[in-house]
Amino acid sequence: MSILSCGMAKEATWLRDAAALSSFLDSEPSADKIIAFSADFSRLSRHLEPQIRSQLSECAVRSAVLDAGLALSDDSVGHLVFERWAVPALPAVGFWRGTTLLGVMEVAPGGGKQLQEALKVYQSGGNPIQKPSRPTRPRTPTEKPLLLFIAGDRASVGKTSTCLGILAKILSEGIYQVRLWAENRKKKKIRGSATDAPGQAHEIAYIKPATQNEKPQPVTRFCEAVGIEAVGVGPIVFYKGFTRAFLDGEVEGGASGLLASAALAVDELGKNKRLVVVDGVGYPAVGSICGVSNADIAEAIGAAVLLVGKSGVGDAVDSFNLNAAYFEKRSIPVIGGIFNKLDTQGYYSLENCAAAVGSYFRQFRPLQSIYGFVPKVDVPDEAVVDALSPLFKGPFERLRQQDSKEDALKLARGLLAGQVIMEHLDARHLVEDLLLTRRKAAQPRLRAASEDRMDIEVAPRQKRVAPAPTRKAKRARTRAEIEAEALEKGARSGG
């Protein structure tokens, strides 16, 4: 969406940068002014744009529209819009009396009548900002958040980067001020915990309930920097010797105990959250030998699944179908996918693959969505930091102070991978599909096996019994004991 024009035709103003914005406000200091804040990356902004433009055009007040997406690349715009004026979400409308800001009103879906009433009050000399345009209902501790499980075709396909991209995109959808909050808290200008952060940082969270890698990852470090609650190492760790110890009955609790601990960790993290992004491990069947595969965990916590796929056409679709089937066999909803690391040129370019894969989904998987086709990140080491947008560069500059040069470069590359996914991700569509999936789950007759493309009655799932140990059970041993023996015998991984 280009920057919009509105207001009376002869006074229509397009605000392309911070200088134009300041100039608009400073001209005719005593005149009333209205500014609409929209953004190219916001699907909701694009949807409500005609309605906002139509209503402002009927208002005999100087008006303009700023594409607030400029805040992602221009710190001065970000400072004005999200720090000084505290725009709550996009789209929104700000009302000025001369140089005094009366307030900013969020325009929610179906909020056209509220905007119309606010404009009438404003033109009659009143204050249109008397109450929030969309009151938020306090969440109760028993209300469960949306749960999105990120699974992938294989290790290193980009699952964790996708988690980072999703979290960052949700913040960037009108909640850019979280970065400023984190900076001010770092400088001790304000006090409080992540739950006091403006916007939605306190309403989203990240967890990796099962892992093979216990080192801090860019996604958890980013979350720390911007105030998102994150658990980088969950209760299930595939340490050296884990699998054989499990089969010998030496892992306390067995599969049911491990799954229960994963579900508890997600439940605890999800209290008072609206969305929890759950990071998978390896490919879908990883952990199945112990009864704790990605599908086992997704089922235990009640999450919908998004698959991160590879580049190409035939291989990409075939792999998606194989991996989706692993979850669909258990009636776990797979809402769609993201296809990552595509070439930018040639026969297998992003454009060509998107056309072909998109055609397949429209014809044969119409109940699932593609939320983005993502290009490869091909940036030389010396240019990685400069390629970071302000949303990522601010946290990076703070975090790099505790890193070696090599570790700082790895962090920058990890953040850049998340940034590229964020730039090609349709997060609004993703959240809408998650809400739809939850509504369908509450109505059993509407739950459908996606491979059949029709609504069917789904038989109640039987509780899965963990595989019985193949050897005589032994006493439960500690991780330290199991790992020490495995290392002595030459173990290289969790097996």
Side-chain angles (χ1 to χ4, degrees):
M1 179 186 68
S2 60
I3 298 175
L4 314 175
S5 65
C6 56
M8 295 190 301
K10 65 179 181 179
E11 296 185 19
T13 305
W14 293 6
L15 306 179
R16 302 180 183 278
D17 51 36
L21 179 58
S22 298
S23 176
F24 174 78
L25 290 173
D26 293 340
S27 62
E28 299 186 35
S30 61
D32 292 346
K33 304 177 185 70
I34 298 175
I35 296 178
F37 302 95
S38 190
D40 186 33
F41 55 70
S42 170
R43 188 180 182 202
L44 185 60
S45 289
R46 297 194 298 271
H47 174 68
L48 296 177
E49 168 200 336
Q51 188 177 31
I52 296 172
R53 180 169 53 187
S54 173
Q55 293 195 29
L56 289 182
S57 68
E58 298 173 2
C59 182
V61 176
R62 291 197 63 195
S63 58
V65 174
L66 172 73
D67 185 347
L70 293 170
L72 298 179
S73 57
D74 188 332
D75 277 333
S76 56
V77 173
H79 170 78
L80 286 171
V81 175
F82 296 114
E83 182 179 30
R84 184 175 168 187
W85 298 330
V87 173
L90 299 177
V93 176
F95 299 88
W96 275 261
R97 293 282 186 215
T99 57
T100 302
L101 175 65
L102 298 179
V104 179
M105 171 184 174
E106 178 187 349
V107 183
K113 187 175 180 180
Q114 290 174 317
L115 176 58
Q116 189 175 37
E117 291 298 320
L119 290 170
K120 287 181 181 179
V121 171
Y122 178 69
Q123 291 185 93
S124 65
N127 186 347
I129 311 297
Q130 298 296 335
K131 60 182 180 179
S133 61
R134 183 174 61 181
T136 56
R137 174 175 55 85
R139 292 176 59 81
T140 65
T142 58
E143 193 173 355
K144 294 196 70 171
L146 294 173
L147 298 175
L148 177 63
F149 192 97
I150 308 300
D153 171 70
R154 53 182 169 75
S156 301
V157 74
K159 295 183 298 295
T160 302
S161 296
T162 297
C163 293
L164 173 55
I166 291 170
L167 294 168
K169 187 62 176 280
I170 289 173
L171 290 182
S172 73
E173 290 278 345
I175 310 113
Y176 181 77
Q177 66 268 45
V178 170
R179 179 176 68 86
L180 300 168
W181 171 87
E183 290 175 351
N184 287 333
R185 185 167 179 261
K186 177 78 173 179
K187 298 173 183 176
K188 298 183 179 179
K189 289 184 179 180
I190 61 174
R191 296 179 181 178
S193 64
T195 56
D196 301 317
Q200 294 180 344
H202 65 284
E203 294 185 333
I204 58 180
Y206 166 88
I207 185 171
K208 193 174 181 75
T211 187
Q212 295 171 307
N213 185 356
E214 297 179 83
K215 295 180 180 178
Q217 300 298 308
V219 62
T220 52
R221 300 190 69 192
F222 174 84
C223 289
E224 175 190 354
V226 301
I228 298 173
E229 193 171 354
V231 177
V233 180
I236 303 175
V237 180
F238 300 120
Y239 52 81
K240 290 179 176 63
F242 176 88
T243 300
R244 300 185 196 192
F246 175 89
L247 295 174
D248 282 344
E250 297 175 341
V251 174
E252 188 173 1
S256 59
L258 292 170
L259 291 174
S261 64
L264 179 61
V266 173
D267 286 345
E268 288 295 318
L269 182 65
K271 287 181 179 178
N272 299 313
K273 301 291 189 296
R274 297 195 179 278
L275 170 69
V276 177
V277 178
V278 184
D279 198 351
V281 55
Y283 48 89
V286 165
S288 62
I289 189 173
C290 302
V292 290
S293 70
N294 286 275
D296 290 306
I297 295 172
E299 184 179 31
I301 65 177
V305 175
L306 181 148
L307 287 171
V308 182
K310 59 177 69 171
S311 61
V313 177
D315 191 21
V317 169
D318 293 344
S319 296
F320 180 93
N321 288 336
L322 175 65
N323 294 315
Y326 191 81
F327 293 96
E328 291 168 337
K329 179 72 173 177
R330 307 268 286 276
S331 299
I332 300 168
V334 178
I335 61 173
I338 290 172
F339 292 88
N340 195 21
K341 301 182 181 180
L342 280 77
D343 291 328
T344 55
Q345 296 179 339
Y347 187 70
Y348 292 101
S349 68
L350 186 151
E351 182 180 3
N352 291 337
C353 292
V357 175
S359 176
Y360 170 82
F361 270 74
R362 287 189 296 274
Q363 294 182 64
F364 303 108
R365 281 191 176 268
L367 300 182
Q368 292 163 318
S369 302
I370 300 175
Y371 304 105
F373 291 92
V374 184
K376 285 181 180 177
V377 179
D378 188 15
V379 179
D381 289 351
E382 60 272 15
V384 172
V385 175
D386 290 337
L388 294 175
S389 70
L391 183 64
F392 291 91
K393 196 167 186 178
F396 171 75
E397 293 297 343
R398 295 192 300 276
L399 294 169
R400 73 185 303 180
Q401 298 173 12
Q402 48 194 287
D403 288 348
S404 65
K405 186 176 180 179
E406 181 181 355
D407 288 341
L409 179 60
K410 289 180 181 178
L411 172 62
R413 283 207 170 276
L415 294 176
L416 183 59
Q419 175 181 307
V420 173
I421 289 174
M422 182 195 87
E423 291 168 348
H424 293 81
L425 173 72
D426 189 346
R428 292 281 182 179
H429 187 186
L430 173 60
V431 173
E432 288 167 2
D433 283 353
L434 279 173
L435 289 167
L436 179 61
T437 300
R438 181 158 71 178
R439 286 196 294 270
K440 284 185 175 182
Q443 306 175 52
R445 291 191 62 84
L446 293 181
R447 291 172 55 197
S450 59
E451 61 269 20
D452 291 336
R453 305 294 176 268
M454 60 183 292
D455 290 341
I456 62 174
E457 185 82 41
V458 178
R461 290 199 299 262
Q462 307 228 340
K463 190 171 182 180
R464 188 171 182 271
V465 179
T470 58
R471 307 175 192 175
K472 186 177 178 180
K474 302 178 183 178
R475 73 169 180 86
R477 292 198 293 163
T478 66
R479 171 178 174 175
E481 292 174 322
I482 295 168
E483 216 165 10
E485 181 183 340
L487 283 169
E488 184 179 348
K489 293 180 177 180
R492 294 188 298 273
S493 62

